[in-house]
Amino acid sequence: MTEEWDIEISPRNKLFDLKLKDVWHYRDLLVLLVRRDFVAFYKQTILGPLWFFIQPLFTTIIYTFVFGSLANISADGLPKPLFYLAGITAWNYFSDCLTKTSTVFTANSGLFEKVYFPRLIVPLSVVVSNLIRFAVQMLLFVLMMGIYWGKGAAFHPTIYILLFPVLLLLMAMLGLGLGMIISAMTTKYRDLSFLITFGVQLMMYLTTVIYPLSTVKQKYPTYQWLVEYNPMTSIIECFRYGFLGQGTFTMLSLAITAVITLIILLLGIIVFNRVEKNFVDTV
């Protein structure tokens, strides 16, 4: 009588073998890792999860004062706090997925050395745990929309608000793909871990978080391509257009972003699968 194994561990795997069946078998571990990330981050804080509200709220206030009042950058006719909070909410989820996924191998090397489990669970847990923070910040955004709606502010949601799940998926996939690529590279080149924070901040200024795409087209057409080719630009513009009714958005630009995101994710999967086989020898 031959025995059938639930999980088979082999030294060689196909590049696109995600071991999704194994991931499903270890779904309890995924839940535990999400809970670990949430509890560990706020374990010895006084305000705890309230920081989910405080961070975007204070960032919005600073952006409104610096970029809205002092620099007098256009907000596409929207209330400036709403304009900035929309960009901050979307950008924070993407950047959190990217920065935390980029340290998967180095931050969890001790765990990887001791026991087998599908390595893809760890970056997936980062994406899922960040959804909690994103949900809280979305609640803050919706509450602020309600406040300004009550004051008679000139904005209106559009039918493109239905694309919200698609935008959320694209942000998660883009952050996951880029994060896995960088995480794999940091196993050999530790300098990248110091550059990632600066790189993400620089990327934010090339995205329409603090300014609308329409302003770039009008005042800085020479640099327009730098902003438009950024995948996060069309996502944030569509996010604003769906919830607030203002934004330079086309379905073509979102389709191009989707293609770029899929390419980056596939590349991230290839690199991640290649490195996970022997990263313990280099970390």
Side-chain angles (χ1 to χ4, degrees):
M1 182 177 179
T2 59
E3 296 182 355
E4 294 184 359
W5 302 98
D6 293 332
I7 298 174
E8 181 179 346
I9 304 174
S10 59
R12 295 182 180 275
N13 299 311
K14 296 179 181 179
L15 291 179
F16 291 98
D17 183 12
L18 300 182
K19 298 185 177 66
L20 295 181
K21 185 178 179 181
D22 292 356
V23 171
W24 176 251
H25 281 306
Y26 282 84
R27 58 189 180 277
D28 292 339
L29 177 60
L30 177 64
V31 175
L32 288 175
L33 290 175
V34 170
R35 184 176 181 275
R36 180 202 67 174
D37 292 342
F38 183 80
V39 173
F41 194 78
Y42 296 100
K43 186 175 182 180
Q44 292 181 324
T45 60
I46 297 175
L47 298 178
L50 285 177
W51 285 110
F52 287 160
F53 283 102
I54 295 173
Q55 188 267 340
L57 187 60
F58 274 82
T59 304
T60 300
I61 292 173
I62 293 172
Y63 283 7
T64 301
F65 175 70
V66 175
F67 300 110
S69 299
L70 295 182
N72 197 28
I73 297 176
S74 170
D76 256 1
L78 295 169
K80 291 181 179 179
L82 268 183
F83 175 86
Y84 292 121
L85 185 57
I88 291 169
T89 302
W91 178 260
N92 279 350
Y93 180 62
F94 161 74
S95 63
D96 284 344
C97 290
L98 171 56
T99 54
K100 293 179 182 179
T101 304
S102 67
T103 60
V104 160
F105 282 126
T106 55
N108 297 276
S109 58
L111 180 63
F112 289 161
E113 292 172 357
K114 295 176 182 177
V115 63
Y116 167 79
F117 58 89
R119 306 313 189 199
L120 189 62
I121 280 186
V122 180
L124 285 177
S125 70
V126 172
V127 173
V128 175
S129 62
N130 284 330
L131 276 175
I132 302 173
R133 178 177 181 179
F134 178 75
V136 175
Q137 293 186 358
M138 274 300 299
L139 177 59
L140 175 63
F141 176 61
V142 172
L143 287 175
M144 187 171 289
M145 283 180 61
I147 292 173
Y148 277 93
W149 185 277
K151 292 182 178 179
F155 72 90
H156 59 280
T158 68
I159 189 65
Y160 290 99
I161 197 173
L162 298 177
L163 289 174
F164 174 70
V166 177
L167 301 180
L168 183 59
L169 181 62
L170 288 176
M171 287 187 289
M173 291 168 59
L174 186 60
L176 180 64
L178 288 173
M180 287 194 296
I181 292 172
I182 297 172
S183 180
M185 295 175 67
T186 53
T187 59
K188 289 186 177 180
Y189 309 103
R190 294 296 184 90
D191 292 353
L192 287 175
S193 61
F194 299 103
L195 294 175
I196 184 63
T197 302
F198 170 75
V200 170
Q201 190 70 22
L202 181 62
M203 185 178 177
M204 189 198 76
Y205 289 113
L206 293 176
T207 312
T208 54
V209 175
I210 60 176
Y211 52 82
L213 184 58
S214 58
T215 297
V216 179
K217 289 184 174 181
Q218 292 174 3
K219 296 185 177 181
Y220 309 101
T222 305
Y223 306 102
Q224 176 182 332
W225 64 275
L226 283 173
V227 180
E228 281 191 313
Y229 290 163
N230 185 335
M232 279 300 297
T233 292
S234 62
I235 293 175
I236 292 179
E237 289 291 310
C238 182
F239 184 87
R240 286 200 184 107
Y241 190 73
F243 282 91
L244 304 177
Q246 290 290 339
T248 306
F249 157 72
T250 63
M251 289 300 296
L252 177 61
S253 63
L254 191 62
I256 293 174
T257 293
V259 172
I260 294 174
T261 300
L262 284 174
I263 292 173
I264 291 175
L265 181 62
L266 289 175
L267 182 60
I269 291 169
I270 293 173
V271 175
F272 190 87
N273 281 352
R274 287 182 65 88
V275 172
E276 72 162 330
K277 301 173 187 177
N278 55 9
F279 84 95
V280 175
D281 299 329
T282 56
V283 173

